[in-house]
Amino acid sequence: MSAADTLDDLLACPRCDAPLAPASDTWRCGGCEVDFPRLAGIPWLFAEPNAALGEWRGRLHFSLQRLERDRQQLAAALKDTALRPATRARLDDLERATRDHGERLRTLLAPLAIEQHAASYETHLALRTRLPVDQGLTTYYANIHRDWCWGDAENAASFDVLATLLGGADPGRVLVLGAGAGRLAYDLHVRTTASLTAALDFNPLLVMVADRVTRGATLELYEFPLAPRGAAAVLRALAAPAPARAGLVHVLADAHRPPFRRGAFDTVVTPWLIDILPERFDVLCARVNTLLRDGGRWLNFGSLSFHDPDPALRYGLDECRAVLEEHGFGDVAVEEREMPYLSSPASRHARRERIVSWSARKRRGAKKVPRHHALPEWLVRGTEPVPLGDSFRSQAAATRVHAFLMTMIDGRRSIKDMAKLVVDQGLMSGAEAEPAIRSFLIKMYDDSRRGTTY
Ligand SMILES: C[S@@+](CC[C@H](N)C(=O)[O-])C[C@H]1O[C@@H](n2cnc3c(N)ncnc32)[C@H](O)[C@@H]1O
């Protein structure tokens, strides 16, 4: 790594884009007067550092509560004296593993200081950079075990895709956005001539595992296979083939506000990321363009399955190519390959994915990217009228009906009794009431019976 290739020279404020100045063990933005700390030695570069800490504490708290609830459910099931010996043994193992798993998560994530959960939970301003609700601490938990235990074949295949796209070229300074548990960033760093590899993700569990393992630690965490072939919880030893050489740095930050200077990187890699970010693909293209130096390359791979609420933005591959070109990229080379995905030896389930990869070279700059706001002003400030769009209108109507249905559940009324009340209230016609109530209650019933996966 040359003197020019340290993280300090690449960092910019995720709030205002001014260069960050190192200050003892933190970084400071002189303009915003905000300090960005380290957590367990890892740069914590969220635009609202305290609020992000509050959010992740909240998510850890939630995960631990859910584990404890599951453990209690297992303990209650074990009280049944008529259990078959094999069932008792399975439940017993799972109860012990669930308890132990909670302890291990608590210990690993001790730097989040969960005991301060209530004290510093998010401020209103923090809502501007709020984390998406569908991203829990354990949303991509399975990736940890694939990356650092049983996933050699999948990890090698992923690296092979990138190596093919690179075609032997020096990747220089690399940014991996949404690096997850970090195996691909590690492989890129140790198996190429990358001078610096910044592996960015916003999930502290994944990043703390990645950071520790790539420094040479062995961690033990449970895998909870989706469809167990044997044990429902398997204690795995997680380790890298060897400690990474200098220059692999993990960063906790939001990909929507990457804390880096314009043109900081020669290569940006987006593995399994572009279709899970809530922002439109066009904006991501402009953002990646900004992060790259002129002539730098964007390497993408993973699924291509956009879920934007606007159907016009659920792009196919041809549209992605067009958007890339509109945002300053040329020499676009695309490859499709079928690969196994999360094929754990402990599970009967596994996926095969036809993944899409591309290499695209920055030919010219793109339009300035607007600063990402997770939520609109009327939600953040609370002083503007809440807009009553079609979607809110129909959600409000559905919520009224659902609330009414829930209040009717008193342990005595049947579906027919409820249907009569709903018709009397003028909420539905006689023909629609009974089937509508039944399907609502089926959903509630299914929800109440759904097991947990980690
Ligand atoms: C499908 S996983 C892929 C993980 C990893 N690239 C891999 O291939 O195993 C998506 C990753 O993106 C991360 N992620 C999602 N939204 C993010 C955001 N706004 N900022 C940073 N990371 C994000 C998640 O935490 C997760 O690790």
Side-chain angles (χ1 to χ4, degrees), residues 352-427:
R352 282 196 79 75
E353 297 259 345
R354 184 166 286 276
I355 64 144
V356 174
S357 323
W358 66 65
S359 161
R361 197 173 286 285
K362 175 170 170 177
R363 289 287 175 223
R364 56 185 164 76
K367 266 202 272 174
K368 195 167 164 15
V369 191
R371 210 177 300 292
H372 175 79
H373 290 303
L375 293 170
E377 291 296 301
W378 57 264
L379 255 172
V380 176
R381 282 211 289 258
T383 50
E384 288 147 48
V386 179
L388 183 56
D390 285 350
S391 156
F392 271 17
R393 219 185 284 275
S394 60
Q395 281 178 50
T399 307
R400 265 198 302 275
V401 175
H402 291 167
F404 185 61
L405 294 182
M406 293 307 287
T407 57
M408 285 192 299
I409 302 174
D410 61 358
R412 290 191 299 273
R413 285 192 186 101
S414 67
I415 290 179
K416 286 189 191 306
D417 296 334
M418 294 185 187
K420 185 169 176 319
L421 277 175
V422 167
V423 174
D424 289 350
Q425 290 284 322
L427 287 170

Side-chain angles (χ1 to χ4, degrees), residues 95-377:
E95 197 254 350
R96 223 170 311 118
T98 306
R99 183 199 302 269
D100 194 16
H101 181 56
E103 285 312 308
R104 284 169 193 272
L105 283 187
R106 196 184 282 279
T107 307
L108 183 65
L109 294 166
L112 287 181
I114 194 179
E115 64 284 356
Q116 291 174 30
H117 171 57
S120 66
Y121 205 61
E122 68 189 358
T123 60
H124 266 308
L125 185 62
L127 289 167
R128 291 174 193 275
T129 55
R130 174 177 161 272
L131 301 165
V133 281
D134 58 349
Q135 299 277 330
L137 259 186
T138 52
T139 308
Y140 297 104
Y141 182 70
N143 294 20
I144 292 178
H145 299 283
R146 179 207 53 199
D147 282 11
W148 306 113
C149 183
W150 47 254
D152 283 357
E154 290 182 33
N155 298 330
S158 302
F159 175 73
D160 190 48
V161 172
L162 286 194
T164 307
L165 291 175
L166 274 170
D170 176 8
R173 286 164 302 176
V174 179
L175 170 64
V176 183
L177 274 180
R183 179 56 186 261
L184 186 70
Y186 166 88
D187 281 335
L188 259 172
H189 191 70
V190 301
R191 297 178 64 184
T192 72
T193 51
S195 55
L196 177 130
T197 303
L200 177 151
D201 202 283
F202 69 178
N203 182 320
L205 172 59
L206 302 181
V207 177
M208 284 185 196
V209 169
D211 190 62
R212 301 235 341 236
V213 164
T214 57
R215 288 174 192 277
T218 298
L219 300 178
E220 284 192 329
L221 283 177
Y222 286 91
E223 178 186 352
F224 295 88
L226 214 53
R229 288 175 66 190
V234 186
L235 189 60
R236 300 285 196 194
L238 309 165
R245 64 182 169 84
L248 173 62
V249 282
H250 292 97
V251 173
L252 276 155
D254 188 337
H256 295 109
R257 297 271 193 109
F260 300 110
R261 300 179 195 177
R262 290 179 83 83
F265 294 97
D266 303 294
T267 307
V268 173
V269 184
T270 49
W272 300 93
L273 182 76
I274 61 172
D275 53 359
I276 63 152
L277 292 179
E279 75 181 356
R280 56 187 286 176
F281 179 64
D282 306 56
V283 178
L284 177 66
C285 285
R287 200 182 298 291
V288 173
N289 180 304
T290 308
L291 289 163
L292 283 168
R293 67 157 169 85
D294 286 341
R297 280 213 277 174
W298 178 4
L299 306 181
N300 174 61
F301 95 108
S303 65
L304 192 73
S305 170
F306 293 101
H307 296 284
D308 198 281
D310 177 353
L313 298 178
R314 294 177 210 150
Y315 296 143
L317 185 51
D318 286 348
E319 293 159 283
C320 287
R321 270 178 180 278
V323 178
L324 281 167
E325 277 157 25
E326 281 162 28
H327 288 83
F329 290 96
D331 293 347
V332 180
V334 176
E335 192 193 297
E336 291 188 66
R337 204 186 280 194
E338 193 169 304
M339 286 175 50
Y341 185 72
L342 292 177
S343 174
S344 165
S347 177
R348 296 180 194 283
H349 282 188
R351 281 158 60 183
R352 282 196 79 75
E353 297 259 345
R354 184 166 286 276
I355 64 144
V356 174
S357 323
W358 66 65
S359 161
R361 197 173 286 285
K362 175 170 170 177
R363 289 287 175 223
R364 56 185 164 76
K367 266 202 272 174
K368 195 167 164 15
V369 191
R371 210 177 300 292
H372 175 79
H373 290 303
L375 293 170
E377 291 296 301

